[in-house]
Amino acid sequence: MLAQILTEKGHAARVQGCYAEIKQNNGVFYIGYKGFAHEQQKEGHAVCIVDEQYLIDFGLGTLRKFYAEDFSHALACEIAGDNPVLGHLDLDSGATITWRTDWVSPMVKLELEHQLAAVERVLSGYYDFQKNRMAYLIKKLFAGKNIPIPNPALLVRVNAHASAQAQDKKLSELVD
């Protein structure tokens, strides 16, 4: 979903399969690595790559469940540029997280395809909201004030007329 929205906003965004490892002291916690999926989870992990410069990871629910309850909901860092390491980030806890591509679960592609319909439904609601936002805001502005709710199309025409009158007045003053 993030990749689609960022693409529409003019960024080159894509989903990248990977896994992540968090190292702290002598321990390693894996996200999406083979053989490390928790019960009711699928193997694999994915992040959003933006403009081939940034990595954004919103898939950190596993960390909140099995690693640290107060773990961040999302992380972002610059792309490392040294394959197979996608990115690397030092965390406030003293741990480090590294996103890697030297193994990518075949489940990532299947899961992304499976989630596509749900993503499209959510985005459809988002686009409908964006389209109707002005009308909604106008209705909200006048709601409960016993003022008739104006037709949004009429408001656009009134605003355009007022703007044209203001421009005519400025032009008239310049000519004088």
Side-chain angles (χ1 to χ4, degrees):
M1 186 178 325
L2 177 63
Q4 279 189 264
I5 291 171
L6 288 172
T7 298
E8 290 169 9
K9 299 281 184 193
H11 295 277
R14 63 183 175 84
V15 178
Q16 171 68 55
C18 64
Y19 71 94
E21 57 187 17
I22 297 178
K23 292 183 179 179
Q24 187 166 25
N25 302 325
N26 293 329
V28 179
F29 185 92
Y30 290 102
I31 307 168
Y33 191 57
K34 61 183 166 185
F36 285 89
H38 294 276
E39 190 175 318
Q40 298 179 347
Q41 288 186 317
K42 295 178 179 148
E43 228 171 40
H45 191 63
V47 295
C48 184
I49 303 297
V50 183
D51 297 330
E52 296 302 319
Q53 189 175 3
Y54 302 102
L55 174 154
I56 302 174
D57 190 346
F58 276 97
L60 303 174
T62 299
L63 293 173
R64 295 180 67 80
K65 286 180 191 174
F66 301 106
Y67 182 73
E69 287 180 3
D70 62 344
F71 202 88
S72 178
H73 291 278
L75 293 174
C77 69
E78 288 190 60
I79 297 291
D82 48 335
N83 199 18
V85 173
L86 270 177
H88 178 82
L89 191 62
D90 293 326
L91 304 172
D92 291 341
S93 66
T96 58
I97 184 168
T98 304
W99 291 269
R100 303 180 60 91
T101 58
D102 49 337
W103 180 83
V104 177
S105 171
M107 292 301 297
V108 171
K109 183 178 179 184
L110 293 173
E111 183 63 20
L112 289 172
E113 288 172 0
H114 175 74
Q115 290 183 13
L116 188 58
V119 166
E120 288 174 352
R121 272 194 312 277
V122 170
L123 285 176
S124 175
Y126 169 76
Y127 298 136
D128 285 346
F129 171 78
Q130 291 295 352
K131 248 190 319 196
N132 298 316
R133 188 166 76 177
M134 180 58 79
Y136 168 79
L137 291 173
I138 290 169
K139 286 179 186 177
K140 187 175 177 181
L141 179 67
F142 291 99
K145 296 186 178 168
N146 294 326
I147 300 172
I149 298 172
N151 179 337
L154 178 62
L155 276 178
V156 169
R157 288 194 306 263
V158 168
N159 286 339
H161 180 71
S163 176
Q165 282 185 327
Q167 288 176 352
D168 287 349
K169 183 178 177 185
K170 286 181 185 175
L171 182 60
S172 163
E173 289 172 359
L174 287 173
V175 171
D176 289 340

